[in-house]
Amino acid sequence: MPFEIVRNDITKMKVDAIVNAANRSLLGGGGVDGAIHRAAGPGLLEECRTLGGCETGQAKITRGYRLPARYVIHTVGPIWRGGQYNERALLTACYRNSLALAVENGCESVAFPLISAGAYGYPKAEAMDVAVAAIARFLEAHDLMVYLVVFGGAEFLAGKKLFREVRAYIDDVYAESHVNRDVERSRRTLWREEEKAARCLDEAFGEACADACMGDSAPMAAPSPGKPDWDSMLRQADEGFSEALMRLIDEKGMTDAQCYKRANVDRKLFSKIRSNPDYRPSKPTVFAFAVALELTLTQTVSLLARAGFALSHSSRFDIILEYFIKSGIYDVFEINEVLFQFDMPLLGSGTAVM
Ligand code: AR6
């Protein structure tokens, strides 16, 4: 199931369990701990008194009392002491143990704050990396909806290398397409070619044929020596998004589950797409599958066209995705972290819980 980074107050999350960044006494404190106890009411503290505290990296569960969440999972993050004291492993353990406890208790949705990233001093950008990596790893083997709740702004992410690179790419593309009229003209020509390429798909999902179209003057590439396979091309020209997606999954030798997990797409949404040949996905969903399938940019343009979309240099969202696809970065969670920083829609899908 998907993983989403959201901006919210965790006490408002309508999920099966929220996670509390507690201290070892489990008897309340400031920050998110204080906010959770205030929102849950005195029953929470009473139950916490019976738990006998909690070790760093471990997790314990209570009911949610007046919270919209059914449970609170209390975990104790490490105090940041420069990074040489096993902080990363302990923080990873917080996420892993909390998630395991959620699964043991039948939870299907869990929301985390950025554990240790407040009073305990863990640098926020690094704390977020640890959270994303630990959650993504757990989701490889479990079906669970996980939210990482960021409270307030995410300026702390702006210093990260990947973010700076993406921003530089956006600036370049914007400068190119908005300042220089010659470039603008040639870009339009390129788009016309790409659109043509998008309409022209061969057996290997447009690759050979699309390359030929992009070259414009080059003859249409045949899938095998001899004549072009017009039957196959015509068949695929009619192909809707759903059909194209299923074919690509097979061609890539992936299972459906591998694909929707890598796309960060909910299993139910995937079933809907699979069973409805006319399904019209959103643009982020198409990109999510393009990333999961590790498509080239040309192939991505083709897949977008199947859903009635084009890749646009007027959209920062599209430019960011173009950057990742061109760079061969196909980690949906890494991409979502950057999209989150830019206040863009994220790839994949979940259910609204706020
Ligand atoms: N919703 C979501 N996130 C929040 C909220 C909220 N309502 N309030 C704060 N945060 P911290 P720690 C974010 O200090 O670093 C307590 O006193 C906050 O911006 O709550 O693990 C405990 O009792 C930050 O990013 O937890 C411990 O003694 C993140 O939650 C100690 O603090 C964690 O900040 C634990 O420190």
Side-chain angles (χ1 to χ4, degrees):
M1 286 247 259
F3 165 41
E4 261 181 47
I5 309 170
V6 296
R7 233 180 279 278
N8 201 1
D9 173 348
I10 203 165
T11 63
K12 306 277 194 291
M13 298 289 290
K14 297 186 192 84
V15 284
D16 292 334
I18 61 168
V19 177
N20 181 18
N23 56 54
R24 292 170 59 195
S25 76
L26 296 188
L27 298 179
V32 74
D33 196 2
I36 289 174
H37 275 275
R38 274 194 302 279
L44 180 61
L45 183 60
E46 265 173 52
E47 188 176 349
C48 282
R49 285 191 209 285
T50 67
L51 298 177
C54 181
E55 288 305 312
T56 305
Q58 301 300 310
K60 296 205 174 169
I61 192 163
T62 63
R63 290 193 287 134
Y65 299 90
R66 293 181 195 151
L67 289 163
R70 198 147 45 99
Y71 297 108
V72 180
I73 293 172
H74 307 261
T75 189
V76 183
I79 297 172
W80 177 259
R81 290 192 287 153
Q84 309 301 315
Y85 293 87
N86 214 22
E87 289 97 326
R88 193 182 173 97
L90 286 167
L91 188 54
T92 301
C94 287
Y95 286 96
R96 197 181 49 237
N97 290 327
S98 299
L99 286 165
L101 201 50
V103 170
E104 271 169 39
N105 285 275
C107 298
E108 292 185 352
S109 54
V110 182
F112 283 92
L114 274 178
I115 300 162
S116 284
Y120 281 180
Y122 212 106
K124 280 185 186 255
E126 283 175 47
M128 181 129 168
D129 280 349
V130 175
V132 171
I135 294 167
R137 161 70 50 103
F138 191 86
L139 290 180
E140 283 170 15
H142 297 88
D143 251 350
L144 199 68
M145 179 73 221
V146 181
Y147 298 90
L148 186 60
V149 182
V150 175
F151 198 53
E155 311 75 25
F156 59 90
L157 293 167
K160 287 179 73 174
K161 185 165 166 275
L162 185 58
F163 182 77
R164 290 201 309 270
E165 283 167 3
V166 172
R167 195 167 44 197
Y169 185 76
I170 294 174
D171 290 347
D172 283 355
V173 173
Y174 259 86
E176 231 176 61
S177 63
H178 290 93
V179 177
N180 186 330
R181 296 187 62 81
D182 288 343
V183 173
E184 181 84 336
R185 251 195 308 278
S186 65
R187 187 175 65 77
R188 271 198 295 276
T189 312
L190 177 68
W191 281 117
R192 275 198 292 276
E193 286 172 355
E194 282 190 356
E195 268 179 26
K196 208 160 117 198
R199 286 195 297 271
C200 176
L201 296 169
D202 76 344
E203 280 175 339
F205 197 68
E207 186 82 283
C209 178
D211 285 351
C213 289
M214 296 286 281
D216 218 21
S217 57
M220 196 82 85
S224 55
K227 282 189 297 184
D229 183 353
W230 291 107
D231 277 355
S232 155
M233 279 182 343
L234 283 174
R235 201 173 59 242
Q236 295 185 11
D238 283 343
E239 206 178 34
F241 174 77
S242 167
E243 211 184 322
L245 178 64
M246 299 312 140
R247 182 172 51 75
L248 280 166
I249 292 173
D250 292 343
E251 282 175 11
K252 294 274 174 179
M254 288 170 102
T255 64
D256 289 356
Q258 277 169 339
C259 181
Y260 67 68
K261 279 192 175 185
R262 276 198 215 170
N264 194 33
V265 161
D266 180 62
R267 180 164 38 87
K268 289 188 199 119
L269 174 61
F270 183 82
S271 303
K272 226 190 260 178
I273 297 172
R274 188 174 44 196
S275 59
N276 179 1
D278 298 323
Y279 188 85
R280 277 303 179 100
S282 68
K283 203 171 195 182
T285 300
V286 183
F287 273 121
F289 283 113
V291 165
L293 291 158
E294 304 195 354
L295 300 187
T296 63
L297 194 59
T298 306
Q299 291 170 329
T300 303
V301 169
S302 301
L303 190 61
L304 282 167
R306 303 272 144 227
F309 298 114
L311 188 81
S312 162
H313 275 186
S314 311
S315 149
R316 289 206 306 167
F317 179 77
D318 288 18
I319 298 171
I320 293 172
L321 266 303
E322 179 181 292
Y323 171 83
F324 281 110
I325 290 167
K326 273 182 160 177
S327 311
I329 299 173
Y330 291 110
D331 181 334
V332 73
F333 301 124
E334 204 174 349
I335 296 172
N336 275 350
E337 215 182 301
V338 171
L339 288 170
F340 178 77
Q341 288 163 249
F342 280 101
D343 260 327
M344 298 280 158
L346 305 188
L347 302 190
S349 69
T351 20
V353 288
M354 289 158 278

